[in-house]
Structure formats: C-alpha cells, structure tokens
Amino acid sequence: MSGFVRARGTFAALATAGAAVTALLAAPSAVAAPQPVVGGSTTTTGAYPFVMQITDASQNQFCGGTLVSPTKVVTAAHCMAGETPRSVRVVGGRTYRNGTDGTVVRVDRIWVHPGYTRVTDGDDVAVLTLSAPMPHTPVKYVSSSDTSVYAAGTTARVLGWGTTRENGAASQQLRTATVPVVSDASCRGSYGSGFVASDMVCAGLASGGVDTCQGDSGGPLVIGGVLAGITSWGEGCARAGQPGVYSRLTTFSGLVAAQVASQPRARDT
Ligand code: 4AZ
C-alpha cells in the first residue's frame, strides 16, 4: 500500500517536472517537485466533516477533497490526471488514513476544468459527482464577489492527510493548520510567472514551518468558514519564502456552481 502512495508521489513529481522546466525558462526561481500538513496539529473528520479522502478503488488515499453539497466534491484537477470514475472513491468521516470507518462512495462523473494543463498554468479545479449522497455536512464555497477573503494576512485553514515534512511520510491522522494569506505581489516574488494571480492565491508564513505538503493536494483552504481555495502546489513544503499555492476559488465559483447544480443523465454515468 505504501508503494502505491509512493507511486502517486512519483506521479506528482513527474507532473511538476514539466512545471519546473516552464519556471526555469520563464522565471528566476525553479519550482521543485512539490511535496499533508506540515506544522499544525491532528484533528478529526468529526470536527471537519466536509473534508474527504480521495482514494483509489482499494481505498488508498492520494488526495483530499471538499464536500460542497450531498453529492458534489471539489478537488484539484491535477488529482484527477489519469483517473476515471471507476478508478476513484470518495471517503467521508474517516479520520485515519488506514481506517475502515466512514462512508465510501463511488463517483459517477469527473468534471475537470477544461483549461487545465499543469498546476503552474492555473485552472486546477475539478468537481466529482457522487453516486450516492454523502451523509456528512458540506461547507459553503466562496461566491465570486467575495474577493475580500484573500486580503493579505487573513487567516486560512488547511486540512489533509499529506506528509508532515517535505519528502516525509504521510500522516495517518487528518491534520490541520492555519496559515496567513500572502499578497499576490509577494507570491509573484516567490514564484515569478508560475504564479497566476487570476487563478491562484498563496498562503504561508514568511519564515515557513507551516504548510500543506504532498498528499494534501485537492483538499480545502477554508477562510471565514467558506471554501476559498484548493491545495494545488508549491516549491517543496514549509520553506521560508515559498508559500503554498491554492486555486483561487472565487475565479471558479461560477463554474463550480454550474457543476453543483448539474445532475448527470444516466448515460453519462
Ligand atoms: C503536493 O504534492 C503538494 N507546499 C501540495 C502542497 C504543496 C506542495 C506539494 C505546498 O500534493
């Protein structure tokens, strides 16, 4: 099972290798292969019922997701690379990665933002339609007009089962941390053209130490009680001056709303 997790990590590293090339060509700083939550503390899905494990068919967690309605889960587009509705499961109410509790639901449809190519180009958002309602409380997602959530210094909460240090082991238990939103100008300073302000928002301490990491991708960035971002990428984890990068959900909330409203016909499933 751990081999599977490593395979996913390798995939993520390969996926970001292309991004690194782009960044080397276009920006002074290279983007290293990104690597759950560094810093912070353990928590439970009881405390955060909207946090979902995205797993393979054998229920090995490889990404996070957020329940936004009984049958809709928001995650990262890059988490769905190579996946099909048959290859993934959404697990709610399972605090531990190796748990067998909670609710395992199959996926009827995967919508990936049609513009998505690689994390450093933006559009890193996907919506999964579940085959059955998830009996856990969803969280609201940000409205397109609610751009004040990204004011620099605003406290954001991240959650996930990812590694607790760069190149470290995945966490058995759900973890959470709070990180301040970083200004677009500062994030541009960190990542150059890899930072697409229209589609991304950064969060992290200038001194590092607290961050999302490998395996946290697709999980929530919650600001003011609403889903405001999706864990997407970053250079390593918890490094000084290299904040985590999240999909800027205000940009995509119209598209997400359309997906949340749509019910797949039987032939699509
Ligand atoms: C990842 O590979 C990943 N430090 C997630 C978040 C960050 C880096 C990598 C941000 O899933």
Side-chain angles (χ1 to χ4, degrees):
M1 296 309 167
S2 62
F4 179 79
V5 172
R6 273 194 289 280
R8 294 286 178 169
T10 304
F11 178 80
L14 290 172
T16 49
V21 170
T22 304
L24 280 166
L25 292 172
S29 65
V31 179
Q35 309 291 315
V37 177
V38 182
S41 55
T42 55
T43 188
T44 67
T45 55
Y48 299 99
F50 54 82
V51 188
M52 302 283 122
Q53 295 187 15
I54 310 287
T55 76
D56 66 10
S58 302
Q59 296 175 34
N60 297 302
Q61 185 268 349
F62 65 90
C63 268
T66 307
L67 190 71
V68 297
S69 89
T71 59
K72 302 286 178 171
V73 171
V74 171
T75 187
H78 82 261
C79 288
M80 292 297 114
E83 303 296 342
T84 67
R86 287 171 180 270
S87 72
V88 295
R89 303 287 184 273
V90 175
V91 183
R94 183 177 291 176
T95 295
Y96 293 88
R97 168 193 290 279
N98 63 2
T100 54
D101 55 345
T103 311
V104 182
V105 175
R106 285 172 175 263
V107 170
D108 273 349
R109 186 172 54 169
I110 300 172
W111 175 86
V112 171
H113 192 298
Y116 175 75
T117 50
R118 63 182 71 186
V119 290
T120 50
D121 286 345
D123 293 340
D124 194 12
V125 54
V127 179
L128 312 184
T129 300
L130 306 181
S131 61
M134 184 63 80
H136 299 288
T137 308
V139 68
K140 284 184 182 152
Y141 53 92
V142 72
S143 76
S144 57
S145 59
D146 206 359
T147 52
S148 67
V149 292
Y150 304 125
T154 303
T155 298
R157 179 173 297 281
V158 292
L159 291 146
W161 289 266
T163 60
T164 54
R165 52 185 295 184
E166 190 174 329
N167 298 316
S171 181
Q172 274 302 324
Q173 186 172 356
L174 178 64
R175 296 182 67 83
T176 188
T178 56
V179 279
V181 174
V182 169
S183 74
D184 292 347
S186 174
C187 200
R188 172 57 54 96
S190 295
Y191 293 119
S193 60
F195 175 68
V196 180
S198 59
D199 288 10
M200 304 174 192
V201 61
C202 293
L205 298 164
S207 55
V210 184
D211 198 6
T212 45
C213 205
Q214 187 170 25
D216 289 324
S217 277
L221 177 84
V222 176
I223 304 176
V226 301
L227 180 67
I230 304 164
T231 302
S232 182
W233 66 281
E235 177 164 342
C237 305
R239 297 184 189 181
Q242 312 281 191
V245 188
Y246 301 84
S247 300
R248 186 179 289 252
L249 205 55
T250 48
T251 297
F252 307 110
S253 51
L255 282 166
V256 168
Q259 291 304 316
V260 170
S262 82
Q263 292 300 130
R265 296 168 60 109
R267 67 166 186 257
D268 294 330
T269 65

